[in-house]
Amino acid sequence: SVSVRRGGPAAPVPARRTPADHRQRRSMTTAEPQPHSDDALMQAFAAGDQAAFAALYERYRGPLYRYFLRQLPRAEADDCFQTMWLKLIRQAERYRPSGAFTSYAFTIAHSVLMDHHRGRGRLAEMALEEAGAEADVADGGITPEQAADGAALRRRRPARA
């Protein structure tokens, strides 16, 4: 179809793409990554190209950092952000472009975030145990040596369901 604009020639209106057009376009792409695609950059980095890593870092540092900032205080987000990139670097040689690099990077970020939350839970539990041991020592229920050993505390704590 053709649209008419005032004061100028008619401009063609692009046809809407159908799902069949998208499938055809996808089938025409090769399995070989494009030169500056995320997959090509990750594969180049795995082969030792530091500039490829720098390009990936520049592309994804903002979105990944904001992912952590939305869920954590700044100091903790900084730590998780750094841990995420270290994991990505360590896993570079095992990377296979089976899906979008974005999904790969955010999956690592999510894993780091979950590890962080689990660690926070353990720290809180340890703090509670320590506070309980201090209270038991103050009440005279156990000796300081027993509190340091922790065996008496574990025996006195009710079993978890």
Side-chain angles (χ1 to χ4, degrees):
S1 83
V2 176
S3 66
V4 179
R5 293 188 319 192
R6 288 189 183 163
V13 176
R16 287 190 77 130
R17 288 195 169 159
T18 66
D21 294 332
H22 290 289
R23 281 191 298 274
Q24 180 182 7
R25 187 167 185 228
R26 227 179 290 141
S27 68
M28 292 186 318
T29 61
T30 62
E32 195 65 32
Q34 299 302 314
H36 297 291
S37 72
D38 296 337
D39 291 335
L41 289 171
M42 189 63 182
Q43 289 173 342
F45 170 64
D49 183 354
Q50 297 300 315
F53 174 77
L56 281 173
Y57 182 79
E58 285 302 313
R59 281 184 193 176
Y60 289 99
R61 72 178 180 170
L64 287 164
Y65 188 62
R66 284 188 299 273
Y67 172 77
F68 289 117
L69 274 179
R70 280 192 304 267
Q71 302 175 62
L72 298 169
R74 184 171 298 276
E76 293 175 30
D78 290 344
D79 291 342
C80 286
F81 180 71
Q82 184 173 9
T83 301
M84 179 266 155
W85 284 105
L86 288 172
K87 282 189 173 199
L88 189 132
I89 290 167
R90 289 182 184 134
Q91 297 174 6
E93 291 179 4
R94 294 190 310 246
Y95 176 74
R96 300 290 174 259
S98 59
F101 176 80
T102 305
S103 298
Y104 177 75
F106 276 91
T107 297
I108 294 173
H110 180 74
S111 172
V112 167
L113 184 65
M114 293 300 102
D115 290 347
H116 177 76
H117 285 308
R118 279 190 288 272
R120 280 168 98 185
R122 282 194 295 272
L123 288 175
E125 186 176 307
M126 288 170 38
L128 287 174
E129 286 177 3
E130 192 174 293
E134 289 171 4
D136 285 343
V137 170
D139 292 343
I142 60 175
T143 66
E145 292 80 18
Q146 289 172 324
D149 180 37
L153 179 61
R154 283 191 291 280
R155 282 194 301 272
R156 294 180 68 185
R157 185 172 24 161
R160 292 186 180 177

Coordinates of all heavy atoms in Angstrom, one line a residue, residues 10-55:
A10 N 4.8 10.3 -2.6 CA 4.2 9.2 -1.8 C 5.3 8.3 -1.3 O 6.3 8.0 -2.0 CB 3.3 8.3 -2.7
A11 N 5.2 7.9 -0.1 CA 6.3 7.0 0.5 C 5.6 5.6 0.7 O 4.5 5.5 1.2 CB 6.7 7.6 1.8
P12 N 6.3 4.6 0.3 CA 5.8 3.2 0.5 C 5.8 2.9 2.0 O 6.6 3.2 2.8 CB 6.8 2.3 -0.2 CG 8.0 3.1 -0.3 CD 7.6 4.5 -0.3
V13 N 4.7 2.2 2.4 CA 4.6 1.7 3.7 C 5.1 0.3 3.8 O 4.6 -0.6 3.0 CB 3.1 1.8 4.2 CG1 2.9 1.2 5.6 CG2 2.6 3.2 4.1
P14 N 6.0 0.0 4.7 CA 6.5 -1.4 4.7 C 5.4 -2.4 5.1 O 4.5 -2.1 5.9 CB 7.6 -1.4 5.8 CG 7.4 -0.1 6.5 CD 6.6 0.8 5.7
A15 N 5.4 -3.6 4.5 CA 4.5 -4.6 4.8 C 4.8 -5.2 6.2 O 5.9 -5.2 6.6 CB 4.5 -5.7 3.8
R16 N 3.7 -5.6 6.9 CA 3.9 -6.2 8.2 C 4.6 -7.6 8.0 O 4.2 -8.3 7.1 CB 2.6 -6.4 8.9 CG 2.0 -5.1 9.4 CD 0.9 -5.4 10.3 NE 1.4 -5.9 11.5 CZ 1.0 -5.4 12.7 NH1 0.0 -4.5 12.7 NH2 1.5 -5.8 13.8
R17 N 5.4 -8.0 8.9 CA 6.1 -9.3 8.8 C 5.2 -10.3 9.5 O 4.5 -10.0 10.6 CB 7.4 -9.3 9.5 CG 8.4 -8.5 8.7 CD 9.8 -8.8 9.3 NE 10.8 -8.3 8.3 CZ 12.0 -8.1 8.6 NH1 12.4 -8.3 9.8 NH2 12.8 -7.6 7.7
T18 N 5.1 -11.4 9.0 CA 4.3 -12.5 9.5 C 5.3 -13.5 10.3 O 6.5 -13.4 10.1 CB 3.6 -13.3 8.4 OG1 4.6 -14.0 7.6 CG2 2.7 -12.4 7.6
P19 N 4.7 -14.4 11.1 CA 5.6 -15.4 11.8 C 6.4 -16.2 10.7 O 7.6 -16.5 11.0 CB 4.6 -16.2 12.5 CG 3.5 -15.3 12.8 CD 3.4 -14.4 11.6
A20 N 5.9 -16.5 9.6 CA 6.6 -17.2 8.6 C 7.8 -16.4 8.1 O 8.9 -17.0 7.8 CB 5.7 -17.5 7.4
D21 N 7.7 -15.1 8.0 CA 8.8 -14.3 7.6 C 10.0 -14.4 8.6 O 11.1 -14.5 8.2 CB 8.4 -12.8 7.5 CG 7.5 -12.6 6.3 OD1 7.5 -13.3 5.3 OD2 6.7 -11.6 6.4
H22 N 9.6 -14.4 9.9 CA 10.6 -14.5 11.0 C 11.3 -15.8 10.9 O 12.5 -15.9 11.1 CB 10.0 -14.2 12.3 CG 9.6 -12.8 12.5 ND1 10.5 -11.8 12.7 CD2 8.4 -12.2 12.6 CE1 9.9 -10.7 12.9 NE2 8.6 -10.9 12.8
R23 N 10.5 -16.9 10.7 CA 11.1 -18.3 10.6 C 12.0 -18.4 9.5 O 13.1 -18.9 9.6 CB 10.0 -19.3 10.6 CG 9.3 -19.6 11.9 CD 8.5 -20.9 11.8 NE 7.4 -20.7 10.9 CZ 6.2 -20.2 11.1 NH1 5.9 -19.7 12.4 NH2 5.2 -20.1 10.2
Q24 N 11.6 -17.8 8.3 CA 12.5 -17.9 7.1 C 13.8 -17.1 7.4 O 14.8 -17.5 7.1 CB 11.7 -17.3 5.9 CG 12.6 -17.4 4.7 CD 11.9 -16.7 3.5 OE1 10.8 -16.2 3.6 NE2 12.4 -16.9 2.3
R25 N 13.6 -15.9 8.0 CA 14.8 -15.1 8.2 C 15.8 -15.8 9.2 O 17.0 -15.8 9.0 CB 14.4 -13.8 8.8 CG 15.5 -12.8 9.0 CD 14.9 -11.4 9.3 NE 15.9 -10.4 9.3 CZ 16.1 -9.6 10.2 NH1 15.2 -9.5 11.2 NH2 17.1 -8.7 10.2
R26 N 15.2 -16.5 10.2 CA 16.0 -17.2 11.2 C 16.7 -18.4 10.5 O 17.9 -18.7 10.8 CB 15.1 -17.7 12.3 CG 15.7 -17.4 13.7 CD 14.9 -17.9 14.8 NE 13.7 -17.1 14.9 CZ 12.5 -17.6 15.2 NH1 12.3 -18.8 15.4 NH2 11.4 -16.8 15.3
S27 N 16.0 -19.1 9.6 CA 16.6 -20.2 9.0 C 17.7 -19.9 8.0 O 18.6 -20.7 7.7 CB 15.6 -21.1 8.3 OG 15.1 -20.3 7.1
M28 N 17.7 -18.6 7.6 CA 18.8 -18.2 6.6 C 20.1 -17.8 7.4 O 21.1 -17.7 6.7 CB 18.3 -17.0 5.8 CG 17.2 -17.3 4.9 SD 16.7 -16.0 3.7 CE 16.7 -14.5 4.7
T29 N 20.0 -17.6 8.7 CA 21.2 -17.3 9.4 C 22.1 -18.5 9.5 O 21.6 -19.6 9.6 CB 20.9 -16.7 10.8 OG1 20.2 -17.7 11.5 CG2 20.1 -15.4 10.7
T30 N 23.4 -18.3 9.6 CA 24.3 -19.4 9.7 C 24.6 -19.6 11.2 O 24.4 -18.8 12.0 CB 25.7 -19.1 9.0 OG1 26.2 -17.9 9.6 CG2 25.4 -18.8 7.5
A31 N 25.2 -20.8 11.5 CA 25.5 -21.1 12.8 C 26.8 -20.4 13.3 O 27.1 -20.2 14.4 CB 25.8 -22.6 13.0
E32 N 27.5 -19.8 12.3 CA 28.8 -19.1 12.6 C 28.4 -17.7 13.2 O 27.6 -17.0 12.6 CB 29.5 -18.9 11.3 CG 31.0 -18.5 11.5 CD 31.8 -19.5 12.2 OE1 31.5 -20.7 12.1 OE2 32.7 -19.1 13.0
P33 N 28.9 -17.3 14.3 CA 28.6 -16.0 14.9 C 29.1 -14.9 14.1 O 30.1 -15.0 13.4 CB 29.2 -16.0 16.3 CG 30.2 -17.2 16.2 CD 29.8 -18.1 15.2
Q34 N 28.3 -13.8 14.1 CA 28.7 -12.6 13.3 C 30.0 -12.0 14.0 O 30.2 -12.1 15.2 CB 27.6 -11.6 13.3 CG 26.3 -12.1 12.6 CD 26.6 -12.6 11.2 OE1 27.2 -11.9 10.4 NE2 26.1 -13.8 10.8
P35 N 30.8 -11.2 13.3 CA 32.1 -10.7 13.8 C 32.0 -10.0 15.1 O 32.8 -10.1 16.0 CB 32.6 -9.8 12.7 CG 31.9 -10.2 11.5 CD 30.6 -10.8 11.9
H36 N 31.0 -9.1 15.3 CA 30.9 -8.4 16.6 C 29.8 -8.8 17.4 O 29.4 -8.0 18.3 CB 30.8 -6.9 16.2 CG 32.1 -6.4 15.5 ND1 33.3 -6.3 16.2 CD2 32.3 -6.0 14.3 CE1 34.2 -5.8 15.3 NE2 33.6 -5.6 14.1
S37 N 29.2 -10.0 17.2 CA 28.1 -10.5 18.0 C 28.7 -10.9 19.4 O 29.9 -11.1 19.6 CB 27.5 -11.7 17.4 OG 28.3 -12.8 17.5
D38 N 27.8 -10.9 20.4 CA 28.3 -11.3 21.7 C 28.9 -12.7 21.7 O 29.9 -12.9 22.4 CB 27.1 -11.3 22.7 CG 26.4 -10.0 22.8 OD1 27.1 -9.0 22.6 OD2 25.3 -9.9 23.2
D39 N 28.3 -13.6 20.9 CA 28.9 -15.0 20.8 C 30.3 -15.0 20.3 O 31.2 -15.6 20.8 CB 28.0 -15.9 20.0 CG 26.7 -16.2 20.6 OD1 26.6 -16.1 21.9 OD2 25.7 -16.5 19.9
A40 N 30.5 -14.2 19.2 CA 31.8 -14.1 18.6 C 32.8 -13.5 19.6 O 34.0 -13.9 19.7 CB 31.8 -13.3 17.3
L41 N 32.4 -12.5 20.3 CA 33.3 -11.8 21.3 C 33.6 -12.8 22.4 O 34.8 -12.8 22.9 CB 32.6 -10.5 21.8 CG 32.5 -9.4 20.9 CD1 31.7 -8.3 21.4 CD2 33.9 -8.8 20.5
M42 N 32.7 -13.5 22.9 CA 32.9 -14.5 24.0 C 33.9 -15.6 23.5 O 34.8 -15.9 24.2 CB 31.6 -15.1 24.5 CG 31.8 -15.9 25.7 SD 32.4 -14.9 27.1 CE 32.5 -16.1 28.4
Q43 N 33.7 -16.0 22.3 CA 34.6 -17.1 21.8 C 36.0 -16.5 21.6 O 37.0 -17.2 21.8 CB 34.0 -17.6 20.5 CG 32.8 -18.5 20.7 CD 32.1 -19.0 19.5 OE1 32.4 -18.4 18.4 NE2 31.3 -20.0 19.6
A44 N 36.1 -15.3 21.1 CA 37.4 -14.6 20.9 C 38.1 -14.4 22.3 O 39.3 -14.7 22.4 CB 37.2 -13.3 20.2
F45 N 37.3 -14.0 23.3 CA 37.9 -13.9 24.6 C 38.4 -15.2 25.1 O 39.5 -15.3 25.7 CB 36.9 -13.3 25.6 CG 37.3 -13.3 27.0 CD1 38.5 -12.6 27.4 CD2 36.7 -14.1 28.0 CE1 38.9 -12.7 28.7 CE2 37.1 -14.2 29.3 CZ 38.2 -13.5 29.6
A46 N 37.6 -16.3 24.9 CA 38.0 -17.6 25.4 C 39.3 -18.0 24.7 O 40.1 -18.8 25.3 CB 36.9 -18.7 25.1
A47 N 39.6 -17.5 23.5 CA 40.8 -17.8 22.8 C 41.9 -16.9 23.2 O 43.0 -17.0 22.6 CB 40.6 -17.7 21.3
G48 N 41.7 -15.9 24.1 CA 42.7 -15.1 24.6 C 42.7 -13.6 24.2 O 43.6 -12.8 24.5
D49 N 41.6 -13.2 23.5 CA 41.5 -11.8 23.0 C 40.9 -10.9 24.1 O 39.8 -11.0 24.4 CB 40.6 -11.8 21.8 CG 40.5 -10.4 21.2 OD1 41.0 -9.4 21.7 OD2 39.9 -10.3 20.1
Q50 N 41.8 -10.2 24.8 CA 41.4 -9.3 25.9 C 40.5 -8.1 25.4 O 39.6 -7.7 26.1 CB 42.6 -8.7 26.6 CG 43.5 -9.8 27.2 CD 42.7 -10.6 28.3 OE1 42.0 -10.0 29.1 NE2 42.9 -11.9 28.2
A51 N 40.7 -7.7 24.2 CA 39.8 -6.6 23.6 C 38.4 -7.1 23.5 O 37.4 -6.3 23.7 CB 40.4 -6.2 22.3
A52 N 38.2 -8.4 23.2 CA 36.9 -8.9 23.1 C 36.2 -8.9 24.4 O 35.0 -8.6 24.5 CB 36.9 -10.4 22.5
F53 N 36.9 -9.2 25.5 CA 36.3 -9.1 26.8 C 36.0 -7.7 27.2 O 34.9 -7.4 27.7 CB 37.3 -9.7 27.9 CG 36.8 -9.5 29.3 CD1 35.8 -10.3 29.8 CD2 37.2 -8.4 30.1 CE1 35.2 -10.1 31.0 CE2 36.7 -8.2 31.3 CZ 35.7 -9.0 31.8
A54 N 36.9 -6.8 26.8 CA 36.6 -5.3 27.1 C 35.3 -4.9 26.4 O 34.5 -4.2 27.0 CB 37.8 -4.5 26.6
A55 N 35.1 -5.4 25.2 CA 33.8 -5.0 24.4 C 32.6 -5.6 25.1 O 31.6 -4.9 25.3 CB 33.9 -5.5 23.0

